[in-house]
Amino acid sequence: MRRLLHSKHRYGCFCACLIIFLSAAADSRSGVIDSISGEVQQVFEKAAPAIVKVRSTGGYRPLAGTGFFIDSEGALLTSYEVVRDSPEVWIEYKAQKLQAKILGRDQRSGVALLKVDEHSTPYLPFGNSDAVRMASGVIGIAYPYNLPLTPSFGWVKGFDVRYLNRFFATTHIRASVDVSPGEIGGPLLNDKGEVVAMLVLAIQDGKECYGLPIKAAGRIVADIKTYGYAKHGWVGVGVIEGQSSDAEPAQAVLVDSLYDNTPASTSGLKKGDQVLSIGKHPVSDPRDILDAAFYSRIGESVPVKVLRNGKERLFAIKVVERPSSSNVVDRKILEDPSSDGLTLPFVTEPGKQAVPNQVQPVRVNAHN
């Protein structure tokens, strides 16, 4: 009998402990959710005044998107897809429609810089997009459809230079942030309310998105303010992924072609050279080449270290302006929906039929 009572006592203690543990776990989960919710709400309330609706004629149909102020003098960023070649663009700000001047639009990076005749505008500070890591939390704030400003929370899931058959001009941030029509061009923010990327593409039927790092957008903005357009670097070397020629073969980035009448053609590089670094940045995949080319400045001489026949060689290549015919991304808009697997760009005016982007296949060696 004692054993039975003792057994029952132990069983009762176990059940009590289990209930306490499960309750604590539930409270812990609730606490995490409440904590995330509280932070998202704080960022949303702080950032909301600087985020606006953007509308344009879009040539043959109206387009809609989101934008955000980047200074107190009325300058704002949005996606090129929201503006394209539209002759007229306007924003909805403080319950009024304001005509926006197009300071510049860059199809290759997907950036459009606008300005309205307003002073003391609230604006979003730029964060450090280089500090974003896998599983970093990000907050998207934008105007879905014709609904009020809406926040979305998600996690960074990757850093890519291509999606299916579409190549980007530089590495983009992939995040699990829901994107609806009207939200392209909106900001992705960190927990401090700083912009770390701009929404440029919805994928997976809007369940995920790609954001252009704000560092890249800032580089385009600086060019537009200085020259009136974006100046993209070009050295004329094509690369491919391949195997290194070392005793233990590994994936490597190899020179595939040197274009005629370009700095690369007279640099001393040869087809088959394994690229080890560009400037101070090591190279392990074509993404590194793309990023180095994107952030290079016209006129600078860039040191390129390669491996040839087991020996390291160093060459210098002068960066020139990229020919307009060498754009990485062909954003040709077709009248009929394509079947290439890309989701809609989600920029058409709500209530209008959206038109997807058909992107032609591009060789990796077209990137530099």
Side-chain angles (χ1 to χ4, degrees):
M1 188 68 173
R2 282 183 186 173
R3 288 181 181 177
L4 181 60
L5 291 174
H6 187 60
S7 176
K8 287 183 177 180
H9 176 71
R10 285 190 299 175
Y11 178 73
C13 289
F14 170 76
C15 290
C17 290
L18 181 60
I19 291 172
I20 293 172
F21 172 77
L22 292 176
S23 298
D27 290 342
S28 176
R29 286 196 299 272
S30 175
V32 170
I33 293 173
D34 289 344
S35 177
I36 293 175
S37 176
E39 289 196 19
V40 171
Q41 186 174 10
Q42 288 181 17
V43 170
F44 175 75
E45 292 175 352
K46 182 180 179 181
I51 302 171
V52 300
K53 290 183 180 180
V54 181
R55 300 290 185 265
S56 71
T57 57
Y60 58 89
R61 66 183 63 202
L63 299 173
T66 299
F68 53 96
F69 288 113
I70 61 172
D71 65 27
S72 61
E73 298 301 315
L76 64 144
L77 272 181
T78 190
S79 168
Y80 170 86
E81 296 291 355
V82 179
V83 176
R84 297 181 191 166
D85 58 354
S86 304
E88 291 185 320
V89 180
W90 61 94
I91 70 167
E92 295 180 20
Y93 174 61
K94 289 185 176 180
Q96 58 181 333
K97 255 187 180 179
L98 299 177
Q99 191 80 27
K101 180 181 179 182
I102 303 171
L103 298 183
R105 41 191 161 192
D106 182 48
Q107 185 178 18
R108 185 167 182 268
S109 65
V111 171
L113 180 62
L114 313 177
K115 192 177 189 309
V116 294
D117 189 17
E118 287 283 313
H119 298 289
S120 301
T121 51
Y123 64 93
L124 300 180
F126 286 6
N128 181 7
S129 50
D130 286 342
V132 176
R133 297 288 183 265
M134 289 288 288
S136 291
V138 287
I139 302 164
I141 303 178
Y143 287 94
Y145 301 98
N146 279 322
L147 299 173
L149 196 63
T150 302
S152 298
F153 177 80
W155 308 98
V156 172
K157 300 184 71 175
F159 302 88
D160 307 322
V161 293
R162 68 178 295 178
Y163 175 66
L164 300 180
N165 68 345
R166 176 175 182 162
F167 281 90
F168 303 126
T170 187
T171 299
H172 280 41
I173 298 171
R174 175 165 43 91
S176 60
V177 173
D178 290 340
V179 179
S180 300
E183 296 190 300
I184 291 298
L188 285 177
L189 305 109
N190 59 21
D191 59 358
K192 299 177 183 177
E194 301 168 332
V195 185
V196 292
M198 178 179 68
L199 288 170
V200 293
L201 181 67
I203 62 173
Q204 306 297 339
D205 295 324
K207 297 181 179 65
E208 295 183 6
C209 68
Y210 274 111
L212 176 70
I214 201 62
K215 176 183 176 181
R219 177 236 183 277
I220 300 300
V221 167
D223 273 4
I224 291 175
K225 287 183 175 180
T226 303
Y227 309 109
Y229 68 100
K231 286 190 171 186
H232 292 284
W234 166 261
V235 295
V237 58
V239 297
I240 58 172
E241 288 182 305
Q243 296 289 326
S244 67
S245 57
D246 292 344
E248 297 181 2
Q251 284 299 111
V253 178
L254 308 176
V255 174
D256 179 58
S257 55
L258 302 168
Y259 296 98
D260 295 335
N261 302 316
T262 65
S265 63
T266 58
S267 66
L269 289 175
K270 291 184 178 180
K271 184 175 180 177
D273 285 345
Q274 179 184 342
V275 183
L276 300 177
S277 65
I278 297 180
K280 298 180 180 178
H281 307 287
V283 172
S284 58
D285 62 52
R287 184 177 76 179
D288 301 321
I289 301 285
L290 266 178
D291 292 341
F294 185 87
Y295 291 106
S296 63
R297 310 303 302 183
I298 310 302
E300 71 175 331
S301 183
V302 179
V304 179
K305 183 186 294 185
V306 302
L307 187 66
R308 180 189 299 171
N309 299 325
K311 295 182 179 180
E312 292 186 0
R313 303 283 298 275
L314 187 63
F315 301 94
I317 305 180
K318 185 177 180 180
V319 180
V320 296
E321 190 169 349
R322 175 183 290 273
S324 59
S325 61
S326 66
N327 282 341
V328 170
V329 180
D330 177 6
R331 300 174 184 267
K332 182 180 180 183
I333 307 299
L334 301 183
E335 291 290 345
D336 298 322
S338 68
S339 58
D340 65 351
L342 293 177
T343 60
L344 301 180
F346 288 153
V347 292
T348 303
E349 180 76 30
K352 306 291 183 179
Q353 182 181 358
V355 179
N357 284 352
Q358 171 68 50
V359 183
Q360 304 298 326
V362 184
R363 285 176 58 82
V364 177
N365 64 8
H367 292 328
N368 290 298

